[in-house]
Amino acid sequence: MQFEPTTTAAIVVDMQNGFCHPDGSLYAPPSEAAIAPVADVVETIRAAGGAVVYTRDVHPPEQFDDTHYYDEFDRWGEHVVEGTWDAELVDELDVHEEDLVVEKHTYDAFYQTNLEGWLRAHGISDLLLCGTLANVCVLHTAGSAGLRDLRPIVVEDALGFIEDDHKAYAVEHADWLFGETTTMDAIEPVSSPTDE
Ligand code: ZN
């Protein structure tokens, strides 16, 4: 999968202690195992001059107190509560000053956040999505990108998940709905610096 660095961002979804650390509230070993592959994706995009976006799932303790229907705490239990260690990005990932860190409050990193405006302002149209959980926040964010006429490409071997078939579902549906997924080894810039 060749990408154009000037119009591409890596979207790293929810690589937080709550999901990726053994002491996290919604820890799943495959999410921890995704840390190294996700770091590799970031490095590939960054080295080529592409943008890097990290999303953080963050829930104020009272977020779902008065909701009509959408209640993640009811479904998942309390997780990544605002201001807690659980909600911090894992230490292993390298956040640079020029990266965007998006605080999201639902499965969809575009919903009521600054993500779309930031991408448009930076001329970014193509997104390489990785992170966790594959079938929840990665897939919903990929779908939301596609609905905005951005190009979502899920990196299938840089995903965290709870069950293997959740990941298979996410990759299959990202491919089916939007027509593109890729693997880490296949990601390369259209023209690498060494070509010049
Ligand atoms: Zn959540």
Side-chain angles (χ1 to χ4, degrees), residues 19 57-59 64 72 76 79-80 104-107 137:
F19 304 111
D57 196 34
V58 175
H59 300 301
F64 304 111
E72 287 192 27
W76 299 93
H79 61 282
V80 294
K104 61 192 259 301
H105 309 287
T106 69
Y107 303 150
C137 293

Side-chain angles (χ1 to χ4, degrees), residues 9-13 51-55 99-102 115 118-119 124:
I11 309 291
V12 178
V13 177
V52 177
V53 175
Y54 293 93
T55 75
D99 300 344
L100 176 66
V101 180
V102 177
L115 178 55
W118 190 92
L119 293 172
I124 293 164

